Amino acid sequence: MGLGFLWFWVCLVCFGFGAVRSQADGIVKGTVVVDGRSPIGRIDDDFICATMDWWPPEKCDYGTCSWDHASVLNVDLSNNIFLNAIKAFSPLKIRLGGTLQDKLVYESTELKQPCHPFHKHASELFGFTTGCLPMSRWDELNAFFNKSGAVIIFGLNALNGRSMPSGGATEGDWDPSNAKSLIEYTAQKGYTIHGWELGNELSGSGVGVRVAADQYASDTISLHNMVEDIYEGVEPKPLILAPGGFFDANWFGKFLNKTTTSLDVITHHIYNLGPGKDEHLVEKILDPSYLDGEANTFKNLQSTLKSSATSATAWVGEAGGAYNSGRNHVSNAFVYSFWYLDQLGMSSAYDTKTYCRQSLIGGNYGLLNTTTFMPNPDYYSALLWHQLMGRNVLSASFSGTKKIRAYAHCAKQSQGITLLLINLDDTTTVQVEVEFNGALALQSKRHSHGHSKRITRHPLGHKIDVVTREDYRLTPKDGDLHSRTMLLNGNILAVDSAGQIPPLKPLVVNSTEAITVAPFSIMFSHMPNVILPACR
C-alpha cells in the first residue's frame, strides 16, 4: 500500500495561549507560534547582498592587516571559487562601496590627474590618498559580474567638489561631473547596473565628515536627474540609493521629505557589536537582550518611512557587526552566524527589502576567506537563507526559553513555510512544537491507488495526515564556536577539487517529530505541507 498515514495535531491558537514547558536532562520544550493570516513584511527575491570594498592591503586595524588583495581594484577575478561562490546565489546582489568610495575618482578624458591606486597617508582624510578606478579594470569587473550573474550597486563619490573646513561639516554642492563620465561610459558599454548609490556614511553625524540633510537631498535629486537623462528610453532604469549611513531619525526624516520623487532606496549601515578589538563580542552575540537592541533601529526607520510621502524602501546597505574589519576567529567563524542570521530575520520582520553584508571578501568579516576564497560559515548561512526563505515574512514568536530566536517566512520556490531557529544556549536542547494563528490548509501526499496529492482544510482539533519536512541543522566543527568549518546535518561543508560549492541537502524527517534544536546550533526547517493564507 506504500506510505501509511502519519498523524499530526495542528492547533489554531489565540494570542496569549501559554506554551507547554518541561525540562529534564538538558531538554526544554517550547512552542513557536506562526501567524499565517497575512505577511508582516515582504523582502526582495534577492534579499541577500554582500559588499566589496576599496581598501588596499595597507589597511590595518589594531595592528592587524586583514584585507590583502580583496579590494575591488585588485581582487583576483580569475579565481574559480570566487566565481562559483557568487554564481551559487543566482543572483547575488553586490554593493561596491565603502569608506574610500568618497575618495575615489574614475578615469576619464576630463580627469586632470594620473589614475593611481590608493596609498596610505596618515594626514589624509580616512588615512589614504585619492585613488582612481581605471576603465580597463571597470571593463574586467563588468565581464566578471556578467559571467557570475551578480546584481551590482555602485557607490559614488559624494565628496567630489565640496570644501571641508575644520569641524567635519562640508560646504558646497556635489560636483557630479566625474560620476557622470563613469555612468555615461557604463551605459554606452551596455553594462547593467542595478543601482547608483550616493555617498558612504556622510549622513547624520557622519564618520569623519558629514553633509547636511538638505544639501544631500539636493545632490540626490541631481543624481536622479542625471541618471534619467543618461538612461533615457531604457527601462528599467537603475535605482537611486542614498545615503548609506547610520540611521538618524531627524536627518533621515528631513532627507526623505525632500527626495520624495527622486529616491528609490534609503540605505543605512549597522555595526551594532562595536569595535573589532572588543574582547566581549561573543558575549554580546549570545545575549538575546543585546541582539534585541537593534530592533529599535529597524522599527524607527520603518516609522520614519511611513510618516513620509516617499515611496522609497529600506535596505541595510552595509552591515559588518563589528567595525574596523571585524575580529579574527569571531566574525569569520561559526559564532557569527548567530548574529548574522538573527539580523536577517529581524530586518525582514521590519520590511527591509535587501541586506548587504560587509563583506563578500576582505577584512575579518568576509563571507569568503580573504586569501583562499574558501567560504566561511556565514557564506553557507547566507546561501541557505537565499534558497529557503521566501519573500513573504510571517510573524513568529517563541515561548519556552529566551535563548531561542525564531523567524518564519513563506517557503521559497516551493509551497509551505520555512522556520529559522537559533539556539544561543550552550547546554540546553530545545524541542520545538509549531502552532499557527489563522486559517490553515495542509497538503497530504498519498501513494495508494495512484493518488498523489490532495489539499484539505481542517477545523480546530481534527487529525490530519502529513508526510515529511526538511531540516537543515548547522553546527560548528568539534563544537567549537570559533571554528571556521560549518557542518550541515553532521557533514562538513567544503568546496570540491574543482572549486564547486557543495549542494545543501536537507535531512528528511517525519513531520510528527518535534523540531530538535541542539545547543549552540541553527536550524532551518522547511514544512512543505503547511499552506497559509499569507503564502498564497
Side-chain angles (χ1 to χ4, degrees), residues 7 21 96 130 165 168 298 370 515 524 531:
W7 297 101
R21 305 176 188 176
L96 308 180
T130 296
F298 296 118
T370 301
I515 300 171
F524 285 91
I531 304 172

Side-chain angles (χ1 to χ4, degrees), residues 374-375 380 485-486 491-497 499-504:
M374 293 292 185
Y380 294 112
T485 300
M486 177 175 271
N491 299 310
I492 289 176
L493 291 171
V495 301
D496 63 18
S497 58
Q500 296 290 334
I501 303 299
L504 304 180

Side-chain angles (χ1 to χ4, degrees), residues 119-189:
H119 293 289
K120 195 168 185 177
H121 198 295
S123 64
E124 291 272 354
L125 179 65
F126 308 132
F128 286 86
T129 61
T130 296
C132 179
L133 171 63
M135 288 303 97
S136 58
R137 179 62 174 180
W138 187 228
D139 293 338
E140 293 170 356
L141 285 161
N142 278 279
F144 175 79
F145 296 144
N146 182 62
K147 187 176 182 181
S148 66
V151 174
I152 302 302
I153 297 89
F154 190 95
L156 296 164
N157 180 346
L159 291 181
N160 198 35
R162 305 187 200 274
S163 60
M164 286 175 279
S166 59
T170 63
E171 294 179 354
D173 295 335
W174 172 55
D175 178 357
S177 57
N178 190 227
K180 183 181 180 182
S181 70
L182 174 67
I183 297 173
E184 286 179 335
Y185 180 89
T186 301
Q188 290 165 5
K189 284 283 192 174

